[in-house]
Amino acid sequence: MKRILGLLLLGGFFALIQTVLWPQLFGWQARPDLILVLVVYVGLTESLLGGGLLVLLFGAGLDALSGSNPGLHMVVLLLVFDLVRFFVGRFNAENATLLLFMVACGTLVDAVLLLFFASFADPGPLGWEVVRQLAPQLLLNLVSAWLLLRLAPWLQRRLVPMAELPGLNRLDRRHGA
């Protein structure tokens, strides 16, 4: 329960960073999708039911903060989570490279799903924006995931030294935790 609550708080913090702080600090149109990175991590480490409910809350929060189409992010993030869960049994979830690969795939799937669902509404502005921002979005998501992989063991050692990071145990051992 502590881990789920921690992930929920982290999701709220990431949502605020990507929707409020990032545009204020950098003013760039493209921004890292930290919630998508967290959804991939949750897909690799959590159960189907607990992780699915967590992802629905992430999507609802993201829709509340920045969504112009209610429920769009909930559906897209849940589908990305389900795809990660589908593939997690076929790969070693303790591999940090897998997280980066799944973030890249998740970014592409996210873009395709946004384009698909936008085609039912008004495909003009949302569709063009998704296509135009795909390359910078992919790069920013990969850099963010890489930085989080490097930062997570350091923070874990300082904040909760006795706890283990699910899915990153091998990474923790490499860094001497």
Side-chain angles (χ1 to χ4, degrees):
M1 186 65 172
K2 287 182 188 179
R3 189 172 69 228
I4 296 293
L5 184 60
L7 287 170
L8 191 58
L9 290 173
L10 189 62
F13 179 67
F14 282 177
L16 285 174
I17 288 175
Q18 78 182 43
T19 59
V20 177
L21 292 177
W22 184 270
Q24 293 296 322
L25 292 175
F26 298 104
W28 298 348
Q29 193 70 355
R31 57 184 177 244
D33 194 349
L34 299 173
I35 295 292
L36 181 69
V37 174
L38 190 58
V39 164
V40 170
Y41 175 74
V42 167
L44 290 172
T45 59
E46 298 299 322
S47 68
L48 186 62
L49 181 62
L53 291 174
L54 197 58
V55 167
L56 280 175
L57 288 173
F58 292 159
L62 201 55
D63 281 332
L65 286 172
S66 67
S68 59
N69 300 323
L72 178 65
H73 288 98
M74 278 183 11
V75 171
V76 169
L77 289 176
L78 189 61
L79 289 171
V80 169
F81 170 78
D82 287 338
L83 283 171
V84 170
R85 291 294 308 161
F86 177 75
F87 288 111
V88 75
R90 292 160 177 77
F91 297 109
N92 177 12
E94 294 284 326
N95 189 344
T97 308
L98 175 64
L99 179 67
L100 294 174
F101 175 73
M102 293 303 276
V103 165
C105 292
T107 302
L108 296 174
V109 167
D110 183 62
V112 168
L113 289 172
L114 285 172
L115 286 172
F116 175 73
F117 288 124
S119 68
F120 292 113
D122 182 19
L126 178 63
W128 173 244
E129 193 64 30
V130 169
V131 170
R132 193 170 64 87
Q133 296 295 328
L134 184 58
Q137 182 74 49
L138 183 62
L139 181 64
L140 285 170
N141 285 356
L142 286 172
V143 168
S144 299
W146 182 82
L147 286 173
L148 288 171
L149 280 172
R150 298 296 168 241
L151 187 62
W154 181 81
L155 284 174
Q156 183 262 336
R157 282 196 310 271
R158 276 143 188 86
L159 299 177
V160 281
M162 301 308 285
E164 289 186 356
L165 292 171
L168 299 178
N169 293 334
R170 193 175 295 168
L171 183 65
D172 286 346
R173 280 186 238 118
R174 186 182 76 211
H175 287 285

